[in-house]
Amino acid sequence: MTLGETETRPAEQAAPPRRSAGVRPARGSNKPNGQWKVDGRAPLNANEEWKQQDGGLAVRERIEQTYAAGGFASIDPTDLHGRFRWWGLYTQRKPGIDGGKTATLEPHELEDEYFMLRVRIDGGQLTTEQLRTIGGISTEFARDTADLTDRQNVQLHWVRVEDVPEIWRRLEAVGLSTTEACGDVPRVILGSPVAGIAADELIDPTPQIEEIQRRYLGDPEFANLPRKFKSAITGHPSQDVVHEINDVAFVAVEHPELGVGYDLWVGGGLSTAAHLAVRTGTFVTPDRVAEVWEGVVSIFRDYGYRRLRNRARLKYLVADWGAERFREVLETEYLATPLPDGPAAPKPIAQGDHVGVHRQRDGRFYLGATPLVGRLSGSTLTAIAELLESVGSGRLRTTPHQKLVLLDIEERDVERVVAGLDGLGLQVRPSLIRRGTIACTGIEYCKLAIVETKETASRAVVRLEERLAGLELPHPISLHVNGCPNSCARIQTADIGLKGQLLPDGDGGQTPGFQVHLGGGLASAHREEAGTGRTVRGLKVTADGLADYVERVVRRFLAERDEAAAETFAAWAHRADEEALR
């Protein structure tokens, strides 16, 4: 659930630039792309100019010393709409502004004098003390709001700039931060939610995540990237970190000679133009993960396209170079020694959201729980911490699927915790519709959104659970609801992906609705490899008609699927006639 956004100290150019590496210009243009190692560092747009004038990391002192005392009106506009993001702060949408005005009003007309604050949780790892701290901050400073994101973070709303220094103090006292939770920087590192505890884990990636975080989080060398940079590392065979849609990802694999390490992927990303990551064909030993991560992010910093913001993601550079060229530049310009060739990770054999009751390697259990579309509250977070501590546990994890995983539960306490979570609105044994549904922030808080998402998705899930009761689905049906075209809820990689837009209401006006994408998905136990969904010309549904549409298409799938071939919804959606999908 992201948006895109010193005097930074750019990396020194160690050698004359290789023009062959990045000479390909943007499509249809002979203009420079703004690649530092090709075109020099002169800023080619306003964003690049202010980032060079004063870096995003520098704004913290002004927040603490000036803006917290002077209030919202005292904030410099460039800090407000740019540098604040480096510390996890976005202005939220002013209530009452309908989606039709999203693209016509200026940012200052859309925004409220309150902030969304994103708490960065690398690897999704939390203690109950940390969870209790977030819950307390929410209830005291954020009107009891708390949403789980699909990048393992927690987002709070209604935060005043006057309260930010105290919030930082409380978070940092328990080892949390908002540093580089947003902005043109390395964002949170996704990690397996069952790292170090799953019985079937190949390798625990926690040491690699911690090394990257320790060495590079807040480093000015990487605080002025062309745009955001997303990372993921997993050691679990379910490949549970959506690696195909990250800028860089390390997926555990066993090399026949070198043992367990990682398969390196680069260049994934969705937004309005989806690109799935590509394998570089290399094998990365655990001791080289941080070095390779630094190399990949350095390529992005030095060769990434900076002139046009809509082409400033690593996925465009990888698409232009290809995996072979990317690997060559990585190994010859950024690594001490080349990487060995490596095998591809095998197809996942388990569901990657970890919902349900599972035995840990130490004999205890972990429980994967589903809050409805990731929506919680500060008081609920505090209650979860209390529930865990009441059975002697002090650890839990967030997931890239808007779920929570509670760790270290003794067998005798499993059902007690399941019941306690259910009482808090989190289900360990949810319906397959509830389990597969996620939603972005939507128009409630987001300035880019066109339609409401959380409540719309929640209503649809409840109705579908009633209407589809008694039907046996062969697997979870992923329903991803997004409030605009930017795909924060990963609409292109869902069984049913919904892109928010306004539709004609038949009376000359407009009503909230969605364009439908069908049959997308990432590699999973039910799918050999990742692929994006198909769109059917003119297939759109209103928000009020969402449950009706999903019920109709799911029933058609069940009636027409090839059971002998164990056909999935995605496979059926790609072969079905268009009329069957309407």
Side-chain angles (χ1 to χ4, degrees):
M1 310 201 354
T2 54
L3 310 174
E5 304 307 40
T6 73
E7 176 177 51
T8 60
R9 180 167 52 90
E12 294 301 320
Q13 191 169 302
R18 294 184 175 202
R19 295 195 66 85
S20 62
V23 296
R24 183 169 177 174
R27 297 183 188 90
S29 172
N30 291 320
K31 294 181 180 180
N33 287 322
Q35 297 168 282
W36 279 358
K37 274 200 171 187
V38 176
D39 305 310
R41 297 182 181 174
L44 300 181
N45 60 48
N47 278 282
E48 290 301 307
E49 186 172 351
W50 65 251
K51 286 193 292 180
Q52 286 198 20
Q53 289 173 349
D54 188 30
L57 294 175
V59 80
R60 174 161 178 160
E61 183 177 359
R62 292 194 288 278
I63 293 173
E64 293 178 319
Q65 302 300 323
T66 303
Y67 302 143
F72 189 87
S74 70
I75 304 172
D76 173 82
T78 304
D79 283 348
L80 180 65
H81 299 123
R83 299 181 184 98
F84 267 47
R85 300 180 183 186
W86 271 243
W87 293 95
L89 290 159
Y90 287 108
T91 50
Q92 66 186 41
R93 189 186 190 94
K94 187 180 298 182
I97 300 178
D98 66 64
K101 297 179 180 177
T102 295
T104 61
L105 297 180
E106 295 296 320
H108 70 275
E109 297 175 295
L110 283 167
E111 69 192 4
D112 207 346
E113 296 187 358
Y114 296 93
F115 293 89
M116 177 275 287
L117 179 68
R118 184 174 296 154
V119 182
R120 178 177 181 136
I121 307 171
D122 288 280
Q125 300 196 14
L126 284 170
T127 66
T128 51
E129 179 188 27
Q130 290 171 329
L131 189 68
R132 191 188 300 276
T133 296
I134 297 172
I137 290 170
S138 169
T139 54
E140 187 170 348
F141 300 114
R143 301 190 188 181
D144 205 27
T145 58
D147 286 342
L148 297 180
T149 78
D150 56 11
R151 291 200 63 81
Q152 295 184 280
N153 296 313
V154 175
Q155 287 184 180
L156 309 178
H157 296 278
W158 299 107
V159 172
R160 304 185 313 149
V161 70
E162 292 91 336
D163 298 323
V164 169
E166 175 60 16
I167 292 172
W168 281 339
R169 187 194 66 78
R170 295 190 191 184
L171 289 173
E172 290 166 6
V174 295
L176 294 172
S177 80
T178 68
T179 308
E180 296 182 337
C182 313
D184 299 350
V185 293
R187 302 285 184 89
V188 65
I189 304 166
L190 296 186
S192 171
V194 294
I197 59 109
D200 55 348
E201 182 179 56
L202 292 173
I203 186 173
D204 181 359
T206 303
Q208 286 81 60
I209 294 172
E210 290 178 344
E211 182 179 6
I212 294 170
Q213 184 183 32
R214 182 177 65 254
R215 291 173 57 179
Y216 305 114
L217 179 61
D219 183 352
E221 292 281 355
F222 302 108
N224 180 1
L225 302 178
R227 281 195 69 186
K228 57 191 172 186
F229 183 84
K230 298 182 177 181
S231 310
I233 308 178
T234 183
H236 195 265
S238 67
Q239 300 173 15
D240 48 7
V241 292
V242 295
H243 64 278
E244 302 99 327
I245 57 173
N246 280 267
D247 294 284
V248 64
F250 300 84
V251 180
V253 64
E254 186 166 6
H255 192 285
E257 299 170 357
L258 301 174
V260 177
Y262 298 95
D263 187 21
L264 176 64
W265 294 64
V266 295
L270 295 179
S271 190
T272 55
H275 291 236
L276 296 176
V278 297
R279 291 186 61 238
T280 62
T282 59
F283 179 77
V284 184
T285 56
D287 62 304
R288 297 196 69 185
V289 167
E291 174 198 2
V292 172
W293 182 93
E294 180 183 4
V296 175
V297 75
S298 296
I299 289 177
F300 182 44
R301 176 195 62 202
D302 297 341
Y303 286 113
Y305 304 145
R306 292 175 180 262
R307 182 172 67 88
L308 300 176
R309 292 284 289 176
N310 63 359
R311 275 182 55 83
R313 291 294 302 277
L314 183 63
K315 63 186 180 182
Y316 294 104
L317 183 68
V318 171
D320 285 349
W321 281 9
E324 183 178 353
R325 180 60 178 149
F326 192 94
R327 176 177 177 175
E328 177 191 348
V329 174
L330 176 65
E331 293 182 328
T332 58
E333 296 188 33
Y334 293 93
L335 300 183
T337 58
L339 298 168
D341 293 338
K347 174 187 171 181
I349 58 174
Q351 191 74 19
D353 62 6
H354 303 295
V355 170
V357 179
H358 308 270
R359 188 177 292 274
Q360 297 180 180
R361 64 175 54 178
D362 64 3
R364 292 180 292 180
F365 289 81
Y366 65 87
L367 310 182
T370 304
L372 190 52
V373 298
R375 174 133 291 177
L376 291 167
S377 67
S379 51
T380 299
L381 296 181
T382 301
I384 293 169
E386 292 172 350
L387 176 63
L388 267 174
E389 290 170 353
S390 74
V391 295
S393 173
R395 297 194 298 165
L396 71 158
R397 306 277 170 82
T398 56
T399 85
H401 302 278
Q402 297 183 344
K403 310 290 191 288
L404 283 177
V405 178
L406 283 62
L407 310 184
D408 306 331
I409 311 298
E410 298 290 348
E411 185 170 8
R412 65 177 180 273
D413 295 319
V414 166
E415 293 306 320
R416 174 186 164 191
V417 175
V418 169
L421 289 169
D422 191 60
L424 295 171
L426 292 87
Q427 296 184 9
V428 175
R429 302 180 180 102
S431 71
L432 295 185
I433 289 290
R434 182 178 298 239
R435 178 173 178 172
T437 301
I438 67 173
C440 75
T441 301
I443 202 169
E444 182 179 11
Y445 297 120
C446 178
K447 300 191 298 293
L448 299 183
I450 301 167
V451 301
E452 199 282 327
T453 55
K454 293 284 190 183
E455 184 60 31
T456 297
S458 296
R459 286 197 307 269
V461 167
V462 172
R463 291 171 182 169
L464 288 165
E465 286 176 333
E466 294 173 353
R467 298 179 187 182
L468 299 177
L471 291 180
E472 186 174 345
L473 300 179
H475 57 79
I477 302 292
S478 55
L479 176 65
H480 293 189
V481 184
N482 212 77
C484 77
N486 286 305
S487 199
C488 296
R490 309 197 294 255
I491 55 174
Q492 300 99 324
T493 58
D495 287 314
I496 305 172
L498 300 162
K499 179 173 71 177
Q501 54 187 236
L502 295 176
L503 305 176
D505 65 1
D507 295 317
Q510 294 179 310
T511 189
F514 303 92
Q515 182 186 56
V516 182
H517 297 248
L518 294 164
L522 302 178
S524 70
H526 307 290
R527 188 182 183 115
E528 194 69 35
E529 59 184 26
T532 55
R534 66 182 285 195
T535 56
V536 175
R537 185 183 299 274
L539 178 52
K540 299 175 183 181
V541 299
T542 65
D544 289 341
L546 178 56
D548 294 336
Y549 172 74
V550 175
E551 179 189 6
R552 185 165 65 248
V553 76
V554 168
R555 287 184 181 276
R556 285 177 180 167
F557 158 62
L558 293 175
E560 298 179 8
R561 72 183 290 256
D562 184 343
E563 292 190 41
E567 187 175 35
T568 64
F569 180 92
W572 170 79
H574 277 284
R575 73 160 176 86
D577 293 337
E578 288 192 357
E579 285 307 309
L581 302 176
R582 294 186 183 278

